[in-house]
Amino acid sequence: MQLLLIRHAEPTNARAETGVADPPLTETGRLQASRLPDALSPYRITRLFSSPQLRALQTAEPVAEDRGLAVEKVEEIAEYDYGHDHYFTIDAAKDVAPEAYQRILAGHLPHFVDEDAFRTRVRQGIDRVVETCDHAETVALFVHGGVVNIVLQELLDMPRPLMFPIEYASVTRILVSRTGARRVASINETGHVRDTLRV
């Protein structure tokens, strides 16, 4: 089985007056998402899974339309900010949340995140996807930078949870053997959106 972990495209910043912040994609984000059908054309994708957060669901839309596939929501693969009243891109966090920004740059999750609980939740979500798919399938999961990183930390035995700068609309490939063993095939493929990313 092949898992394509696709980070959502560029979202807006958001702070909810009441309830949960769930920002949509920016215009640049929609452009990035629109390039995914071509970028994923070499893969015979049979199923699409997504975090329930809007930025992931909107990133999945062009692929779902292109392939004629439904998007199946998996709550466990939501980002570590799921359910919070604010969301800031890393660029915005530099000014509005400098402590969290410095922690992320150092490879750590923000203080408000229970790292063990987040890791357990993501593992359960990935396991559920693997268990419900056939071994021969290639499936796409529309997720988040923290989710991709926590998966890579476990597979590569990395010392900190945020070791890779996973870019918007990037593709990371995980191979799952018949025995259930998993290995990393590629990380952060961005050729299809390189010109849209901020240096």
Side-chain angles (χ1 to χ4, degrees):
M1 179 185 299
Q2 184 167 215
L3 307 178
L4 307 178
L5 304 183
I6 302 162
R7 189 189 177 192
H8 63 78
E10 182 185 85
T12 62
N13 295 296
R15 184 185 291 277
E17 293 292 330
T18 59
V20 174
D22 194 15
L25 299 182
T26 63
E27 287 302 312
T28 296
R30 289 192 174 278
L31 172 63
Q32 293 165 344
S34 75
R35 293 184 180 178
L36 283 169
D38 283 345
L40 299 175
S41 61
Y43 303 107
R44 300 182 70 177
I45 298 169
T46 52
R47 293 175 72 178
L48 306 178
F49 298 89
S50 178
S51 154
Q53 291 169 279
L54 183 60
R55 57 192 187 269
L57 290 168
Q58 288 185 338
T59 303
E61 286 174 0
V63 179
E65 182 176 351
D66 180 69
R67 299 293 179 112
L69 295 172
V71 178
E72 304 173 56
K73 295 181 187 178
V74 179
E75 191 169 16
E76 292 92 339
I77 58 175
E79 185 61 299
Y80 56 74
D81 64 1
Y82 186 48
H84 285 259
D85 65 355
H86 63 276
Y87 172 83
F88 298 111
T89 64
I90 191 66
D91 290 336
K94 186 187 307 183
D95 296 320
V96 299
E99 183 181 356
Y101 174 77
Q102 290 301 325
R103 283 184 61 82
I104 291 168
L105 285 190
H108 298 287
L109 292 163
H111 280 302
F112 67 81
V113 182
D114 182 328
E115 183 177 324
D116 289 338
F118 178 53
R119 180 179 292 105
T120 298
R121 169 165 67 76
V122 171
R123 185 190 302 122
Q124 289 172 344
I126 299 295
D127 287 349
R128 183 149 70 91
V129 168
V130 170
E131 289 165 5
T132 60
C133 295
D134 184 84
H135 172 74
E137 290 188 277
T138 292
V139 300
L141 293 80
F142 294 85
V143 293
H144 306 266
V147 171
V148 176
N149 263 294
I150 211 79
V151 170
L152 292 174
Q153 183 191 20
E154 286 208 350
L155 293 180
L156 300 176
D157 195 26
M158 305 299 289
R160 296 184 298 280
L162 301 181
M163 295 294 287
F164 294 96
I166 304 299
E167 302 283 3
Y168 293 129
S170 65
V171 180
T172 293
R173 297 187 297 123
I174 307 296
L175 303 181
V176 184
S177 73
R178 291 185 182 276
T179 65
R182 300 171 194 181
R183 63 186 176 90
V184 180
S186 70
I187 299 172
N188 200 43
E189 297 177 22
T190 58
H192 53 291
V193 290
R194 174 53 53 189
D195 62 309
T196 71
L197 300 173
R198 299 176 187 179
V199 180

